Amino acid sequence: GCPNQKLCASGATKAPDPAIAEIGAKLSTVKHKILVLSGKGGVGKSTFSAHLAHALASDSTKEVALLDVDICGPSIPRIMGLEGEQVHQSGSGWSPVYVDDNLAVMSIGFLLSSLDDAVIWRGPKKNGMIKQFLRDVDWGDLDYLIVDTPPGTSDEHLSIVQYLSSTHVDGAVIITTPQEVSLQDVRKEIRFCQKVKLPIIGVVENMSGFVCPNCKNTSQIFPPTSGGAEKMCADLNLPLLGKVPLDPRIAQSCDEGRSFLNVVPDSPAAKAYKSIVQSDACSSNSVKLFIYLFFLSLFLSFFLNINCQVRCQAKLEAMFLYLLLFY
Amino acid sequence: CPNQKLCASGATKAPDPAIAEIGAKLSTVKHKILVLSGKGGVGKSTFSAHLAHALASDSTKEVALLDVDICGPSIPRIMGLEGEQVHQSGSGWSPVYVDDNLAVMSIGFLLSSLDDAVIWRGPKKNGMIKQFLRDVDWGDLDYLIVDTPPGTSDEHLSIVQYLSSTHVDGAVIITTPQEVSLQDVRKEIRFCQKVKLPIIGVVENMSGFVCPNCKNTSQIFPPTSGGAEKMCADLNLPLLGKVPLDPRIAQSCDEGRSFLNVVPDSPAAKAYKSIVQSEKLPGALRSTPRTFLSESLSRCV
């Protein structure tokens, strides 16, 4: 019979996975966690994840990590210029591979003996690997953990959400391209986020137009026949973080393992990325700032008007309105 | 666990009886082609759909297109069949017909809303693929094209496993020129070799863009490592063709129309037709019957 017979019969498999609590403890020192998702393949998730990590790590005071949970098609090692690197094991767990002092990367790509080796695994084995990435990698104290995912709404996505369920996840950035065939799959991803109660930070529209380097004419190679990400975000009340145009130098930089933001920092695409990254990283900070200022104003109004109850309420309301306008 | 007795009996180690059932069911299908890529977004569904259209342009051929991308089923949209429903009859599920000789099946037809997410783990997806192969009333087919999601996981293992008691002509592998794609595609090729799935050839998609204004060609996804051409040379695989980027392809897909009919004289449409009729394909895959006269004429030209 099946070797797991006793395990199943005991009902142990119905209990919560103890790894969830372990991961919760392990990642308690990670300040921000961002998932990069898309229902559609090939829209630029890995490219965006990598460049988001590079941009955040450009502040040398921040510790950033990039986790690649695309088990079958791990692109991150290539894009980060880390092909051929290996993971080392120490007493405190697996050591991630460092791009810079403050930018660490983990991917199954580092565990393959050959770059062309196929990872032909069904769901349960992929889930086990994701669990190990979260529980056994010695991430250290991080400011940001970016998680790059494969397309779809299946094992990897359910597992990453499940294993991070005892931690705080800032939310997901959803990547799309303008055409309806992409948006259709992206709407499914948005539904997935809503079902698993994963906040959506915003949507990025990639491959949004191409400017011919010769005549500067703009072509919509993936035409937004149904209004593109802009209309979808308006319909679903989601923030559109930005639009990134097609630029051959993006694909070239990715192939060469260099950050596009450093190679051509003044290109329209690089500027679009930087603008998105700044809005993305600041979004959680601005909410905190607002809450801080609100309570500060509350305290100040109360303190200053402790002997004047009639005016206190009016001043409180005025302060609140002022802050709302300021925000 | 309710499955305790089943597992303890060892019945789960026996071959799945569905494999033999599917073998019997698909015995009347002359040719089966899988469209694969390790990489997402390279144009598998677009190619599958247009391959099906091209093959079905010969009205004497019966063609079917099966979409096993469970999480991101694009085929209904691309084939202009959004909102269609599958019907059940005594002989099984009826696929949805584009034309009299072109049938389509996708999980997209089973969703109550187009935006419904299919949030399933592997085993459930495998079960659906089994049903598609075993329970759909395909009828007698000349061609069954199977569109797959990116990767080398459940769907791919299942489709190969369930078709293991039938003859599969092989796989067409789709890629784009850049190394980040080719890296994943080489993994897919390794997968095909491991499961002994023949590879018919490789198609390089998004291979250059001709500006409609000045006709300058840009390599939007540059072949930094030699593109599909070098990969095929290294791995001794046929390169079936290269398809350039054309905004009208994406537009046609969004509108559910065959690009081959909308702009038949465009470079991309010509590239597609050339691939479907390529000399490198096994003879049975050519969409137009070859006669002695056409053979002679083509030699003269």
Side-chain angles (χ1 to χ4, degrees), chain A residues 8-11 13-14, chain B residues 1-5 7:
Chain A
C8 290
S10 69
T13 53
K14 287 201 186 295
Chain B
C1 170
N3 293 327
Q4 195 178 350
K5 283 185 182 167
C7 289

Side-chain angles (χ1 to χ4, degrees), chain A residues 303-323:
Chain A
F303 181 74
L304 291 169
N305 292 281
I306 198 160
N307 291 318
C308 190
Q309 288 180 356
V310 172
R311 283 184 209 162
C312 180
Q313 188 180 355
K315 281 204 175 175
L316 205 62
E317 285 168 1
M319 188 68 75
F320 179 68
L321 278 166
Y322 168 73
L323 278 168

